[in-house]
Amino acid sequence: MQLPGDQRDTGTSRSGNLQPGDPEWHSRVQSPLRLSAEDEPVWLDQADVVIIGLGGAGVCAAIEALDAGCSVIAIDRFSGGGATRMSGGVVYAGGGTSMQRDANVEDDPANMRRYLKLEVENAVSDATLDRFCETSPGLIDWLERQGVRFGSSLAPEKTSYPADGHYLYFSGNEAQALYAKQARPAQRGHRTFGKGLTGKILFDTLRATAVRKGLRIYSYAEVNRLVVSESGAVEGVIFERVDPASRTARRIDMLQRSFARSTTLLFPKLGEKLKQRAAAAAHGNSVAGAIAAKKGVILAAGGFIQNREMVRHYAPKYSGATPLGSMGCDGSGIRLGQSVGAVVDRMERISAWRQFLPPRALAQGIVVDGQGRRLIAEDSYGGTTGYMIAEKAAGRAFIIIDRALYRQVIRQALPGRGKLFRIQGAPALMALLLSSHRGRTLAELARKCRMDPRLLENSVAHYNDGSADAEGDMFRKDPAYTATLDHPPFHAIDISIGNRRYLCPTISLGGIVVDEATGQALGASGLPIPRLYAAGRNAIGISSNHYISGLSLADCIFSGRTTGKAASI
């Protein structure tokens, strides 16, 4: 049987187990090509293991499969890296890693598990969470053997991302009072060694190791169809590829690199234009081909946050927020799995970040909902705050500060030595100057924000009474992040999920349901789909309930290694 040569799908199609009435989001994913017993396919290439998407999960799966003696091909829409390369390079690890020991951070797997259970809940089984924690020190050791470097210098204070020279920090809620009651606080955010955002260093190092071990890469290639046998086993993939040496590939690469810069987070419409231009460039200049997978296909193509129609369909509460991810985080890997009957779960789970540290002064104010009720302890992790705003406050919330804190916010948010201004300072300054209200009294401020004046006054009064004694505050937080709001005028900064003047970055957490021991994709019957695996944000994993910094990368490495080993058998 001759597989498709240069045929292209130019329309829209449903994928997999979507039901009648679901939205017809634009998709190049097609229904699988089903082979009969008489078919003799002519493949362009073949490998033991074929990986769709070469990001954090894909490259780790490749290394494990190569180490098992398999031939491996990875197919990527661009030049590789995905959201991992755009990230801060933070890997969540604990239980007594070598970096923790060097820094005299006391931790063990049981302590790590007690904390993570509060975040993970039942996204994965207790057995899988135990395995994740028990093997966490070894995960860092494994990365170091692949050439990745870490550091043990502790960040001096709580931060959303440590400045250069600091590599180990509280990257979640570990030190927040309510969580610290359940598990001993321990710094577990392991930032890859380097300057600035170090995700590119993490990925480039792993990619170089994989290539050295024999990984073959089909870049600028988009998989749009799976090939399956009569029995339902995945036999290979069909893709469309732009010549990597062509001007078109160079243009796509330029557009993708422009998209990866933080300016597209500040200007989402620019990001949309770049995506459209890249798709248009690829569409008219690609040639189709097919690759056989002798042992298995691994879906590792990232989440779906850039597919706004999928977000509106599965997670409408977050549709007004800002997507954070690579150009390829469009759900194509998930939809490929659905096309052969894989089931999905937790697709409504989105991580929305409202980070206040730095500037510290914002966390010394109070967060209230749209009515004026206090919502959360302000030194909580930004993803926890975002979750509360979206799920418990109908997406609408404000930070209340007074004149004294207002001045501190400006001073702390301005550029300075060791600060990552574009990530931490710039958004806070924009919010303060472009998206805040001011009132001589709390009642006046409440009316401007359409709050109940009595509720806001009561929230501030309770905070002022309790801020000097954290034990007396119903929203307990570290005394270092408390203040007394008694210097008018008062200010309310709009931190609503959909506020375009103070963008709320989001990533998707749901995906394909898998056998947790192997990463094999499961069908509606609960049985594995033969020779199909999913990892990273294509699959349900450790970070599919609540996200904390570094947990998705750690899960990509953990699940990628699991699928790479399993697919090699």
Side-chain angles (χ1 to χ4, degrees):
M1 176 183 178
Q2 180 69 47
L3 291 170
D6 60 354
Q7 299 174 5
R8 297 177 180 86
D9 171 31
T10 58
T12 55
S13 62
R14 293 187 181 277
S15 50
N17 55 4
L18 296 176
Q19 301 300 315
D22 289 339
E24 291 270 14
W25 50 69
H26 181 72
S27 168
R28 290 171 58 79
V29 172
Q30 302 177 49
S31 298
L33 176 63
R34 299 190 180 276
L35 304 177
S36 68
E38 294 76 27
D39 288 332
E40 295 183 7
V42 177
W43 303 98
L44 174 67
D45 206 343
Q46 66 177 9
D48 293 322
V49 177
V50 175
I51 300 170
I52 302 174
L54 187 62
V59 74
C60 291
I63 291 172
E64 287 290 6
L66 290 162
D67 284 347
C70 290
S71 57
V72 182
I73 290 175
I75 305 172
D76 195 87
R77 292 258 299 276
F78 305 102
S79 57
T84 295
R85 199 174 191 278
M86 293 173 60
S87 76
V90 176
V91 178
Y92 193 90
T97 68
S98 57
M99 281 74 216
Q100 287 180 315
R101 295 195 302 271
D102 289 346
N104 295 316
V105 173
E106 190 178 347
D107 198 16
D108 58 69
N111 184 56
M112 180 182 180
R113 185 195 182 283
R114 284 194 296 273
Y115 166 70
L116 276 183
K117 184 63 177 178
L118 301 174
E119 305 283 10
V120 175
E121 295 181 5
N122 62 344
V124 297
S125 68
D126 286 347
T128 297
L129 182 58
D130 286 344
R131 181 162 59 94
F132 179 77
C133 296
E134 290 286 346
T135 61
S136 189
L139 181 144
I140 292 294
D141 295 340
W142 182 84
L143 287 171
E144 289 191 306
R145 290 197 298 273
Q146 313 313 315
V148 181
R149 295 174 60 203
F150 296 96
S152 57
S153 55
L154 294 171
E157 61 181 356
K158 186 175 174 65
T159 179
S160 57
Y161 190 77
D164 288 348
H166 302 288
Y167 297 99
L168 189 60
Y169 73 117
F170 290 116
S171 64
N173 286 305
E174 299 88 356
Q176 208 286 320
L178 296 179
Y179 292 81
K181 288 176 64 177
Q182 305 297 319
R184 182 176 63 255
Q187 293 93 332
R188 301 192 185 99
H190 289 64
R191 176 187 169 206
T192 302
F193 193 88
K195 293 183 178 180
L197 297 177
T198 54
K200 58 184 179 293
I201 298 174
L202 171 67
F203 174 78
D204 290 351
T205 303
L206 291 172
R207 176 191 167 114
T209 297
V211 169
R212 188 171 63 252
K213 292 184 176 186
L215 174 66
R216 291 190 291 137
I217 303 171
Y218 277 69
S219 54
Y220 307 102
E222 179 180 2
V223 175
N224 50 35
R225 200 173 190 186
L226 296 177
V227 181
V228 299
S229 67
E230 280 187 314
S231 65
V234 176
E235 300 285 340
V237 305
I238 298 174
F239 64 92
E240 293 184 6
R241 188 187 195 192
V242 171
D243 181 356
S246 67
R247 292 178 60 186
T248 299
R250 290 194 295 273
R251 174 169 171 75
I252 291 172
D253 188 63
M254 178 194 71
L255 292 167
Q256 189 271 337
R257 290 180 185 278
S258 296
F259 183 91
R261 298 189 184 107
S262 59
T263 49
T264 56
L265 184 62
L266 298 175
F267 304 102
K269 290 184 179 180
L270 171 62
E272 285 297 322
K273 289 181 179 179
L274 293 172
K275 285 193 295 183
Q276 292 168 9
R277 290 173 184 171
H283 179 64
N285 298 281
S286 59
V287 176
I291 297 177
K294 293 187 286 185
K295 291 190 174 184
V297 169
I298 299 174
L299 301 172
F304 64 90
I305 201 65
Q306 296 293 353
N307 188 323
R308 304 313 290 167
E309 292 184 31
M310 283 184 74
V311 172
R312 284 191 289 271
H313 175 64
Y314 286 114
K317 293 178 182 178
Y318 300 88
S319 60
T322 303
L324 178 63
S326 74
M327 197 180 283
C329 291
D330 64 353
S332 59
I334 294 172
R335 289 178 286 129
L336 281 166
Q338 288 178 301
S339 75
V340 293
V343 296
V344 297
D345 195 15
R346 295 180 177 264
M347 297 291 279
E348 79 286 356
R349 304 298 291 192
I350 300 287
S351 182
W353 297 321
R354 279 303 186 200
Q355 303 278 25
F356 307 141
L357 293 165
R360 168 194 288 264
L362 282 184
Q364 292 178 277
I366 63 170
V367 172
V368 298
D369 64 15
Q371 299 300 311
R373 299 181 185 88
R374 193 166 173 208
L375 189 61
I376 192 171
E378 293 74 21
D379 61 347
S380 299
Y381 176 68
T384 306
T385 303
Y387 171 83
M388 291 295 291
I389 296 171
E391 302 292 338
K392 307 298 182 182
R396 189 165 178 264
F398 298 85
I399 299 176
I400 308 300
I401 58 176
D402 65 359
R403 172 170 48 87
L405 289 179
Y406 181 93
R407 291 175 176 174
Q408 291 180 43
V409 169
I410 292 179
R411 184 173 66 253
Q412 294 168 7
L414 286 172
R417 185 176 180 181
K419 291 183 180 179
L420 296 164
F421 178 67
R422 286 181 300 171
I423 298 172
Q424 298 172 334
L429 282 179
M430 288 176 63
L432 203 63
L433 300 176
L434 302 177
S435 192
S436 64
H437 300 277
R438 171 177 166 171
R440 291 168 295 179
T441 65
L442 289 171
E444 179 184 344
L445 184 66
R447 286 190 290 270
K448 288 184 176 181
C449 297
R450 305 195 313 277
M451 297 181 198
D452 183 326
R454 289 186 305 168
L455 287 177
L456 180 60
E457 289 171 343
N458 288 342
S459 294
V460 172
H462 183 273
Y463 179 63
N464 287 345
D465 288 344
S467 63
D469 177 12
E471 293 293 333
D473 193 347
M474 65 179 293
F475 297 98
R476 289 189 56 207
K477 59 179 179 178
D478 190 313
Y481 302 109
T482 60
T484 302
L485 307 180
D486 57 3
H487 294 84
F490 300 97
H491 301 264
I493 301 170
D494 188 349
I495 56 171
S496 301
I497 292 295
N499 182 7
R500 289 296 180 180
R501 293 183 176 180
Y502 191 7
L503 300 178
C504 182
T506 50
I507 65 171
S508 61
L509 302 179
I512 294 169
V513 179
V514 297
D515 179 324
E516 294 175 12
T518 63
Q520 196 164 5
L522 301 181
S525 65
L527 296 176
I529 297 173
R531 302 193 346 189
L532 183 66
Y533 302 81
R537 295 287 58 76
N538 272 180
I540 296 295
I542 297 292
S543 63
S544 292
N545 184 56
H546 288 305
Y547 172 85
I548 53 176
S549 291
L551 193 60
S552 183
L553 267 184
D555 184 46
C556 284
I557 299 162
F558 177 74
S559 63
R561 294 182 67 196
T562 297
T563 57
K565 292 174 184 177
S568 303
I569 298 173

